Amino acid sequence: MRYLMILLTAIVLMASDATLEIVKSTDNRPSVAIQDASEFGDMGIRGKFFRLVTGDLKVTAHFKVDDTYRSCSYDSMIDPLLKNSDYIFRYRFREGDGQRLYMDVRAYDMGSKSAIYERSYRVANRSRYPFLIHQAVIDFNDYLQMPSVGWMKRYVVFSQYTKPKQADIVVADYTLTYRKKVVSGGLNIFPKWADRDQRGIYYTKLGSRPVLYHFNIYTGKERRVISSDGMLVCSDVSRDGKRLLLTMAPEGQPDIYMYNIESGVKERLTFYSGIDVSAQFTGSEKRIIFVSDRLGYPNIFIKEVRDRAVRQLVYHGKNNNACSAHGKYVVYTSRESDNAFSSNTFNLYLVSTESDYIRRLTASGVNQFPKFSPDGESVIYIKHYASQSALGVIRLNYNEGFLFPLRGHRIQSIDW
Amino acid sequence: MKKSLIIAAAAAALLMSGCSQKKPEVDMTKQETTEKEAPAVTEADSGVSTVVGTEESGDITTLPENGRTEVIKELEAKAKKIYFDFDKYNIRPDQEPRVDEDAQLFSSDAAKDLTIKIEGNCDEWGTDEYNYALGLRRAKTVRDALAIKGIDESRMVMVSYGESNPVCTEHTKECWAKNRRVEFKLLP
C-alpha cells in the first residue's frame, strides 16, 4: 500500500511539470458566440475589432470560441440559432467626443436565456482600442470565475530597426496591435522592463560606445546607468529591481556581470574566453542561466551566482542561442537545420531546471525571441513563416497556441 | 486492502485531474524600483524645447571640412573588409592576406595617427544578444590579428552592430555571407 501511494504521488508530481505536454481528449470548456452591434467604423475596422475580440477570448484558453462573425442591434432579442452556445458575448463600439471611443459589453447566459452582466469601457484615443477589448475580455473571464488573464493588460516593450544603425523603442499591448514609440534617434536596442509595475525600462543606446539608460515611460525622465566598451546589454532585472544582469565586454570579451543599482558595484560572474550572454535569474535568484559557446556552439548553461562552476542545462540541439527563464522553467530557441543555409527552422523548447524533460512548443518556421509572461503561464514569441510574421502566444498549461499577424519593421529584441 | 487500494487510486485520480491547471511557482511580491536623481543640469533651451514642432533650423554656417576628411574617406575605401563563416569568429585562411593589407594600410604615414574603429557585423540569422556578441568577437579577432602585425592596441576601438547594419538586404546565401563581416572606420 505504501509503495502504491509513493508511486501515485510520483506520478502526480511528474504530471505537474509544465514540461510535460498535456493532451486533452475531451473539450468541456463553455462555448461562446460573439455578436457585433457596433455603431462605429466601416466593415474593415469592425473586422479588426472582431478579430481581436475573438483572439483575446481564444487566448484565455478557457472557452470554445465560435469565430463566425455575427452582427445584430445591441438591444435585439437573443438569436434562437445560438441556443447551442453556453454564452453570448455581445459588444458595441461607439464614438465619443473628440477621439474618445466606447465599448459596451452585454453577456448572455444561454442556460437561463438572460443577460448576466453589462459593462461599458472608454479610451481617450481611438488608437488605444486594443485595451478596451483586453479589459472587456478580462472582466468576462473573471465574471465566469476562470483563472485570471489579467496579464492581457500588461505592456510589451520592443526595439525595431528602422534603417541601418537605427532602431526605435516601442511600447505596445501584448498583441503588438497598439504601439507607441517612446525612444527614437540612433540605435536604441535591448529594452528590458526595469520594475514589475512596468513604469521604467532599461535600454542600450549604441553610439560611439554603448551606454545603458533607465527611462521612465510616464515622465520621459532618462538616467544614464553605466557604459562599457564593445557591448553592454541589460539581460535581466531582479524581482526587487535592485540588481541587473548585464552582458559587458570591456576588452571585447562578452561576459556576464551583476550590477547593484544602489551601490553601483559590479561583479563579474563568468570567466570564459568565448561568448557568455543573455543571463537570466532562475529559481530564487541564487542561480542564473545563460547562453555560452563554451562547447563550440551556442547552448544554455546554469550556474550558482556565487560559484564559478558551470553546468550544461540543455542536452539537445546544436545551436540554442536565446532563452528566457521563469522560476524553474526555461524556454529556449533551437536552430533545427544543421548547416548554414538549408531551410532555416528555429523551434522553441521548454525545459525545467529540476527535471530532464524537454517539451517542444513550436513545430515549423522561424520562432524567435521567446519571453515568459510575468506569471510564467504563457510564452510570447515572434514567428516568421512563409514570408509572413506573427506574434505568437503559447498558453503552457493548456497546450494551446495563438498567432496575431504582425506588420511593420523588423524586431530587434522584445520584453514582456 | 482492496478497499484501501481503490480509495488511494480515486484520491490520485482526483489530484491528477487538477494538474493541467497547476501554475509554476511565482513570487508576486511587488517592490518599487529606487530611482536616483540625475545631477542638476541647467537647460539653456527649456523655453524653446516646449515649443511644438518637429524641424528646427538656425543660422549657423557649417564648419568647413578640412582636407583630412577626404584623406580619411580614401583610406576607409582602401581598407579591406574581413568576411566570416556562419556562426564563426575565427579568421578564415582566405581572409588572412586581407588582414595583412589592412595592417600595412593602418601603419602607413597617412593613417598612423588615426584611431581605428573596428565594427563587427552579423547576418540576420542570430537572435538577441548572441548575435551582438558574435559581432564583437569578430571585431576582437581582427583587433588581436592587427595587434600581432604591429598595430598599437591603444589605437583600436571595437563595436558590434549585430544584425543592425547590413550591406545587403536580400534573403540569399550570398547576401548573408556579405553581411558577416568586420569593417573599419578611421577617426582623427
Side-chain angles (χ1 to χ4, degrees), chain A residues 24 27-30 54-65 137 141 146-149 151-152 174 377-378 393-402, chain B residues 21:
Chain A
K24 284 182 180 163
D27 191 348
N28 296 322
R29 296 174 298 175
T54 312
D56 267 4
L57 283 167
K58 285 185 176 177
V59 168
T60 65
H62 299 146
F63 308 106
K64 266 187 294 187
V65 182
V137 169
N141 180 79
M146 299 295 182
S148 173
V149 288
W151 51 263
M152 280 187 182
Y174 88 96
E377 286 196 358
S378 310
V393 181
I394 298 167
R395 300 279 281 136
L396 294 171
N397 291 341
Y398 303 91
N399 197 27
E400 295 209 41
F402 305 89
Chain B
Q21 305 278 330

Side-chain angles (χ1 to χ4, degrees), chain A residues 189-192 202-206 210-212 226-236 244-249 255-257 259 277-279 412-413, chain B residues 128-130 132-133:
Chain A
I189 49 180
F190 296 113
K192 189 87 200 163
Y202 291 104
Y203 76 96
T204 302
K205 189 181 264 301
L206 191 48
V211 180
L212 185 75
I226 190 171
S227 71
S228 166
D229 285 329
M231 184 173 175
L232 174 58
V233 178
C234 175
S235 312
D236 201 11
L244 310 183
L245 288 174
L246 305 177
T247 295
M248 291 174 70
D255 271 306
I256 291 158
Y257 292 74
Y259 180 76
V277 291
S278 298
Q412 185 271 328
S413 172
Chain B
D128 269 352
E129 287 184 39
Y130 192 81
Y132 273 77

Side-chain angles (χ1 to χ4, degrees), chain A residues 24 30 118 183 238 252 279 296 356 413:
Chain A
K24 284 182 180 163
E118 184 158 7
V183 180
S238 63
D356 294 331
S413 172

Side-chain angles (χ1 to χ4, degrees), chain A residues 207-224:
Chain A
S208 55
R209 71 199 302 248
V211 180
L212 185 75
Y213 287 96
H214 177 275
F215 180 82
N216 184 313
I217 65 164
Y218 292 101
T219 63
K221 192 170 143 191
E222 191 165 77
R223 174 170 54 89
R224 193 176 196 273

Side-chain angles (χ1 to χ4, degrees), chain A residues 4 161 165 195-196 214 235 247 249 252-253 261-262 273 278 293 319 321 341 368 377 397 410, chain B residues 5 20 22-23 27 33 35-36 87 89 124 127-129 132 136-137 140 160 163-165 176 180:
Chain A
L4 182 72
Y161 290 123
K165 295 188 189 175
D195 54 288
R196 295 171 73 83
H214 177 275
S235 312
T247 295
Q253 174 55 53
I261 290 286
E262 289 175 340
S273 61
S278 298
D293 73 336
N319 190 330
N321 61 11
F341 300 107
Q368 293 172 311
E377 286 196 358
N397 291 341
R410 183 157 186 239
Chain B
L5 268 176
S20 64
K22 184 158 178 157
K23 299 171 188 178
D27 179 2
T33 322
E35 190 168 277
K36 288 175 188 166
D87 223 359
Y89 50 83
E124 61 182 81
T127 62
D128 269 352
E129 287 184 39
Y132 273 77
L136 188 64
R137 286 296 311 199
K140 183 172 187 289
S160 171
E163 69 282 353
S164 78
N165 188 27
W176 294 323
R180 294 191 302 268

Side-chain angles (χ1 to χ4, degrees), chain A residues 18-77:
Chain A
T19 53
L20 294 182
E21 196 161 331
I22 297 136
V23 180
K24 284 182 180 163
S25 54
T26 55
D27 191 348
N28 296 322
R29 296 174 298 175
S31 58
V32 181
I34 303 164
Q35 288 184 317
D36 177 13
S38 292
E39 297 163 357
F40 171 79
D42 57 22
M43 283 315 288
I45 291 174
R46 288 182 194 180
K48 267 189 200 170
F49 292 161
F50 175 74
R51 282 193 292 277
L52 196 52
V53 170
T54 312
D56 267 4
L57 283 167
K58 285 185 176 177
V59 168
T60 65
H62 299 146
F63 308 106
K64 266 187 294 187
V65 182
D66 179 349
D67 50 15
T68 313
Y69 179 80
R70 295 183 176 90
S71 60
C72 67
S73 75
Y74 195 64
D75 295 317
S76 62
M77 304 287 283

Side-chain angles (χ1 to χ4, degrees), chain B residues 12 17 24 48 60 73 78 81 87 90 124 145 168 176 179-180:
Chain B
S17 66
V48 76
I60 294 180
K73 279 183 188 162
K78 275 188 201 163
K81 296 185 174 79
D87 223 359
N90 57 306
E124 61 182 81
C168 184
W176 294 323
N179 289 336
R180 294 191 302 268

